[in-house]
Amino acid sequence: MIKNRNLPSGTRDEFGPRAAVKETISGQLFSIFKQRGFTKLTTPILEYADVFKPLNLDNYRPYQLLDEQGEALVLRPDLTLPVARMMSTTGVELPAKWYYGGDVFRVKKQLSGSYNQVTQAGIELVGSSSIKGELECLTIALAGCRATGVKEMTLELSDARFVEAVLAALPVPEPTKVALKQALFAKNLTVYNQISALLTDTEFGGFLGEWPWLFGDFDTVINVVKRLPKISKVQTVIDNLTAVNQFIKELAPEQRVVLDLSIPSPQTYYTGMAFRGYTQNASDYLFSGGRYDDLLTSFQQIKEPAVGLAFDVDALADRVPLQDAPRQTLIYFDSDQWQQAEILLKETPNSTLCLADSREEANRIAVSNNQQLLDLTKEGE
């Protein structure tokens, strides 16, 4: 006998209005992906654990199990790495444009208020090395928000190369650079200030004094970056970010863009620009993405450029107020009236066939579900 027990922590059943909202949102996003020339790709929910080695497991702890040979398996905590695994093993011609949808499973901290099961819908551009890849992702990000009813959203830009480029230029030993980065990311100002004080009288002093707070309005942050001495790798990053900001201004003049150059990348496998969208009244990002040119090297020797974008369908659905479904019409009929019932089904909006064996049962179903009963069996009476 199977005992009745609750669902595993962090999971949920979905039905009724919320399930319908998520289905609608996914359909809207898939429509945009297809219009932009992306092809559907489905990967398994269950993968070998080694596929996800590039992940920062502090944020993406997976559910783990063993197969019959003792190999470690996981429920996928990410949808980008399975795409990279597939690309490396199938020999698909590049460039390739994929879109996907499905659930990911991540073990969150107890009492965090977050679910361990999240529905995503996203795209991957593999073989795209120019900034056009980022611009395509951002075009789709804005289009997806508009299509799903997001009226006000903040776009956050960052770049994985910035911190490393600045640290590489500092005239201090490598262990000091590592300690400075750790303090910067942890916002441990006591340690950060102690280390940065060593460089106060250098050409980096003015910038380092403001680095921990280097986020906010795009132009304001760029003006702080200008205090740095000339560093070619930093200039490349700033040129790309400025080009993207200008592109967004032309595409969506009212769109708010902020820049954060004091945080770690959203994922350890990011190699360039990253972008996320959020609203003030939501704790989760509506979408996130970025460039990860080294990702395929986890599975093969050949390096291929790639950039992607993922929408959090649950976060988008949480914004939509759930409404009572319109009253449905229940069509009851005898088995020899099936064709007549089918015709009526097509003609009657928001209707469904009632497969009850008796009129009494049909009446009970209609009353319990607040449905209008349309009884074809009465026509012959």
Side-chain angles (χ1 to χ4, degrees):
M1 180 178 177
I2 299 176
K3 294 182 179 180
N4 182 26
R5 30 172 94 171
N6 293 327
L7 288 169
S9 175
T11 62
R12 59 185 172 190
D13 294 319
E14 290 188 321
F15 52 90
R18 181 178 171 81
V21 167
K22 287 183 62 173
E23 184 178 21
T24 298
I25 289 172
S26 294
Q28 291 167 328
L29 296 174
F30 290 164
S31 178
I32 294 171
F33 301 158
K34 287 186 282 188
Q35 288 171 3
R36 305 291 296 192
F38 288 78
T39 301
K40 180 70 180 290
L41 170 65
T42 301
T43 59
I45 293 178
L46 200 62
E47 294 263 10
Y48 284 111
D50 285 350
V51 170
F52 301 98
K53 277 186 176 179
L55 280 179
N56 178 359
L57 295 183
D58 291 337
N59 299 327
Y60 288 71
R61 285 199 301 128
Y63 287 94
Q64 301 188 58
L65 58 155
L66 300 175
D67 69 6
E68 61 274 17
Q69 278 83 42
E71 291 277 359
L73 306 175
V74 298
L75 294 178
R76 62 187 183 203
D78 173 86
L79 280 165
T80 293
L81 283 159
V83 174
R85 187 264 309 151
M86 183 279 297
M87 293 293 300
S88 67
T89 56
T90 56
V92 174
E93 186 176 348
L94 299 180
K97 300 169 72 174
W98 304 110
Y99 81 88
Y100 58 79
D103 287 352
V104 295
F105 302 85
R106 302 165 181 171
V107 182
K108 303 290 182 67
K109 292 181 180 179
Q110 290 253 346
L111 306 179
S112 67
S114 300
Y115 283 98
N116 295 340
Q117 179 178 352
V118 179
T119 304
Q120 291 186 346
I123 57 171
E124 309 289 347
L125 294 90
V126 185
S128 174
S129 60
S130 79
I131 197 173
K132 291 179 182 178
E134 283 88 339
L135 299 183
E136 173 72 349
C137 285
L138 288 168
T139 299
I140 292 172
L142 295 181
C145 286
R146 286 195 302 270
T148 55
V150 178
K151 295 181 180 178
E152 188 173 336
M153 177 269 298
T154 298
L155 173 62
E156 177 188 281
L157 300 179
S158 61
D159 198 296
R161 298 167 294 180
F162 181 82
V163 171
E164 298 302 329
V166 173
L167 290 173
L170 296 180
V172 293
E174 190 62 31
T176 304
K177 296 177 182 180
V178 172
L180 183 66
K181 180 169 71 170
Q182 291 173 344
L184 174 70
F185 288 165
K187 296 298 183 280
N188 185 339
L189 297 183
T190 301
V191 175
Y192 179 88
N193 290 335
Q194 289 173 349
I195 299 173
S196 62
L198 301 173
L199 297 160
T200 299
D201 296 330
T202 71
E203 56 187 345
F204 296 94
F207 170 81
L208 292 176
E210 297 196 47
W211 200 3
W213 300 275
L214 198 58
F215 59 89
D217 174 72
F218 187 94
D219 293 331
T220 302
V221 171
I222 292 297
N223 286 334
V224 175
V225 174
K226 289 178 180 178
R227 298 184 183 183
L228 281 167
K230 203 71 172 177
I231 305 171
S232 60
K233 289 184 178 180
V234 169
Q235 193 57 50
T236 298
V237 170
I238 297 307
D239 288 346
N240 282 345
L241 289 168
T242 302
V244 166
N245 185 48
Q246 184 59 38
F247 176 82
I248 296 298
K249 284 183 177 179
E250 295 172 0
L251 183 66
E254 301 303 317
Q255 176 61 53
R256 181 170 184 254
V257 179
V258 298
L259 183 58
D260 196 333
L261 297 178
S262 65
I263 56 171
S265 291
Q267 254 312 324
T268 53
Y269 57 69
Y270 278 40
T271 60
M273 194 179 303
F275 36 83
R276 300 189 283 194
Y278 62 90
T279 57
Q280 297 298 329
N281 57 351
S283 58
D284 295 319
Y285 287 98
L286 303 179
F287 63 82
S288 63
R291 178 164 291 279
Y292 30 85
D293 288 344
D294 294 337
L295 194 57
L296 263 65
T297 59
S298 301
F299 307 97
Q300 63 184 33
Q301 297 301 314
I302 301 173
K303 181 177 177 178
E304 297 290 355
V307 60
L309 163 74
F311 287 92
D312 185 331
V313 175
D314 289 285
L316 290 168
D318 288 341
R319 297 183 57 267
V320 180
L322 298 182
Q323 299 177 350
D324 293 334
R327 196 178 185 199
Q328 192 174 49
T329 298
L330 197 63
I331 302 173
Y332 175 64
F333 58 99
D334 287 331
S335 56
D336 60 0
Q337 295 177 302
W338 194 285
Q339 294 304 320
Q340 184 180 352
E342 287 282 0
I343 293 171
L344 192 59
L345 180 67
K346 294 177 182 178
E347 294 175 347
T348 308
N350 193 32
S351 62
T352 185
L353 296 182
C354 177
L355 307 181
D357 291 329
S358 67
R359 184 180 297 171
E360 291 74 16
E361 184 182 357
N363 273 315
R364 180 187 60 76
I365 294 172
V367 170
S368 63
N369 292 285
N370 192 30
Q371 296 168 313
Q372 178 181 347
L373 184 65
L374 202 164
D375 188 352
L376 290 183
T377 65
K378 288 185 175 181
E379 293 182 3
E381 297 179 355

